Amino acid sequence: MSQLIDLDTIRNAYSLGGQWVRPRSELPPSVVTNSADGTPLAHVVQAGPDDVDAAIQMANESFTSFSQWPTAERAALLVSLADALDKRAPALAETIALEVGTPRRIAEAVQVGMPVRVLHAYAEAIAELDLDTEIGHSLVRRVPTGVVGAITPWNYPLHQVIAKVGAALAAGCPIVLKPSKEAPLSALALVDAAAEAGVPPGVLSVVPGPGVSVGEAIAAHPGIALLSFTGSTKAGVRVATLAARNVTRVALELGGKSASIILDGADLPAAVKGSVRNGMLNSGQTCSAWTRMLVPRARLAEVAELAQHELAKLTVGHPLQPSTRLGPLVSARQQQSVCEYIDHGLAEGLRIAAQGSVVESTGFYVAPTVFLDVPADSRLAQEEIFGPVLCIIGHDGADDAVAIANNSEYGLAGGVWAATEQQAMEVAVRLRTGQVDINGAAFNPAAPFGGFRRSGIGRELGRFGIEEFLETTAIQRP
């Protein structure tokens, strides 16, 4: 692993407002594991509730001055932070590749490149956002909400951090961050990048540690004005319950079971290729992955053949190998969970349409698997697997496809493939989900990201992401 951060520092200290300090907690350091071979990658300090309290107190002290920064200065700060991360891109990509399992060239483009783009999008949004509005004799102002508590997951460890940190800085809010235990290294590397960019002391603290102590201490702390959480629905319910005791606002980005709808008349090879690659991105460790492919029932056999063809192109291997398109999963626990889902599908009599190779290694590899003609209400079609497992489901026309897609407790993302943009749009507007891509359209880092139902509350990215970190006040004039 490239020397991104000093390993002795992060073994013994956490970032309190930008300064590395020893925690009050006496917990032993946690081990960050190399997903490719199961060996230790680094040891990271574990802080505790007292350290959370110190970080939040410092953040509240810094709020008075930082919240008054002009929006142009905040925008410039975000651009400087983007530049600082971009300078570190090769080392960041390699680190995330080993932590999470994302192939390095994909990590460079997505795990690091996307956060840089997100920061630029936030900078443009805050520079253009009109924070003051006249309504009759009232001046309506949008003002920073206060100190933000952020809890982030392991699958996109830098992107999910920047989605919150970038919005907080744009809005003028200090932030206390707890990164994932499985993949905390890029978040810890952010400390030095933030200092180089000119983030003021006290505005950003990174407090690693267990979710049951550090995460819950952040969620339950009365000094937090907004809790921004990304992770599982179960954990999201827990932290929202703790936050509710202080009537703390919450923004939750949770699970997903997104559908890619392929309609009659669509370019079938292109639609299957796009759907398979989306569902398998990051070895399926993506909350917005299209893990249900809904296809015309009469074309199931043709789709299965195309899926096998596309899966054969996704070489499974070590994340640092240039030829690798799919790497390992993040941990042994995640590997076991995904394998149990595959075994369950086979026990239920489901047929595998396509399956990739298995790597003989001590790493956490799982063969990418596509099941054919999966019942829409089955466990594999309803539960978030979070691995390289895709379900092909037959539909009997657009109305049936919409009903199947909406038959989910989630509503985070989705895709529609049709002969024309108009036909795709007619279906897309009927989907109860937070984002829909039409005919393979690209991800937009300035557009709002978030979900319906058990996929969460609120939105991230761009103008809508910044607005989650603002409060509204009205001043009536005579």
Side-chain angles (χ1 to χ4, degrees), residues 251-269:
L252 306 174
E253 198 268 279
L254 308 176
K257 193 69 180 180
S258 302
S260 176
I261 297 175
I262 302 175
L263 299 173
D264 273 322
D267 182 339
L268 197 61

Side-chain angles (χ1 to χ4, degrees), residues 139-454:
L139 172 64
V140 179
R141 306 196 64 215
R142 307 298 304 281
V143 299
T145 189
V147 173
V148 173
I151 303 172
T152 55
W154 49 260
N155 58 327
Y156 291 90
L158 184 61
H159 171 66
Q160 297 288 3
V161 163
I162 291 301
K164 302 177 191 310
V165 170
L169 296 180
C173 298
I175 183 166
V176 176
L177 166 70
K178 190 203 93 68
S180 156
K181 283 185 64 178
E182 288 83 358
L185 300 181
S186 59
L188 293 165
L190 177 64
V191 175
D192 291 338
E196 179 181 312
V199 174
V203 169
L204 171 64
S205 291
V206 180
V207 188
V212 294
S213 55
V214 172
E216 294 199 358
I218 291 174
H221 201 288
I224 293 293
L226 170 70
L227 175 68
S228 183
F229 172 88
T230 299
S232 72
T233 300
K234 179 180 178 181
V237 170
R238 172 61 180 167
V239 296
T241 301
L242 294 171
R245 297 172 183 173
N246 294 312
V247 199
T248 301
R249 291 172 57 200
V250 296
L252 306 174
E253 198 268 279
L254 308 176
K257 193 69 180 180
S258 302
S260 176
I261 297 175
I262 302 175
L263 299 173
D264 273 322
D267 182 339
L268 197 61
V272 173
K273 176 181 178 179
S275 299
V276 168
R277 295 196 175 192
N278 181 291
M280 295 294 170
L281 179 64
N282 203 26
S283 294
Q285 299 173 127
T286 303
C287 56
S288 57
W290 301 342
T291 50
R292 296 180 293 159
M293 192 193 314
L294 279 49
V295 305
R297 196 173 302 279
R299 307 191 75 173
L300 281 169
E302 186 179 357
V303 168
E305 184 176 341
L306 288 168
Q308 177 64 63
H309 177 71
E310 292 304 325
L311 208 61
K313 299 177 184 178
L314 302 181
T315 306
V316 179
H318 193 286
L320 299 186
Q321 288 293 328
S323 61
T324 296
R325 297 296 301 275
L326 293 180
L329 301 187
V330 71
S331 66
R333 182 176 64 178
Q334 191 65 19
Q335 179 191 45
Q336 180 181 356
S337 173
V338 174
C339 288
E340 287 175 355
Y341 273 106
I342 294 173
D343 290 343
H344 176 81
L346 294 173
E348 290 287 300
L350 299 181
R351 182 159 63 94
I352 290 178
Q355 192 165 42
S357 60
V358 180
V359 175
E360 295 298 329
S361 168
T362 53
F364 312 125
Y365 293 90
V366 171
T369 304
V370 179
F371 283 96
L372 181 64
D373 200 14
V374 178
D377 59 353
S378 66
R379 182 181 172 192
L380 262 64
Q382 289 292 320
E383 296 183 11
E384 185 177 41
I385 299 173
F386 227 62
V389 180
L390 174 63
C391 297
I392 298 176
I393 302 170
H395 71 73
D396 298 310
D399 290 345
D400 187 40
V402 169
I404 293 171
N406 288 337
N407 178 28
S408 172
E409 65 180 11
Y410 300 110
L412 187 56
V416 180
W417 304 79
T420 68
E421 181 178 327
Q422 180 181 348
Q423 290 173 334
M425 184 65 74
E426 289 173 355
V427 169
V429 297
R430 298 168 63 189
L431 299 180
R432 300 287 294 169
T433 191
Q435 282 206 342
V436 185
D437 301 341
I438 291 175
N439 286 341
F443 182 79
N444 182 357
F449 183 86
F452 290 21
R453 301 185 294 278
R454 291 176 67 84

Side-chain angles (χ1 to χ4, degrees), residues 36-57:
D37 59 19
T39 61
L41 192 63
H43 292 80
V44 173
V45 72
Q46 294 195 83
D50 289 342
D51 305 298
V52 169
D53 186 64
I56 293 173
Q57 286 187 32

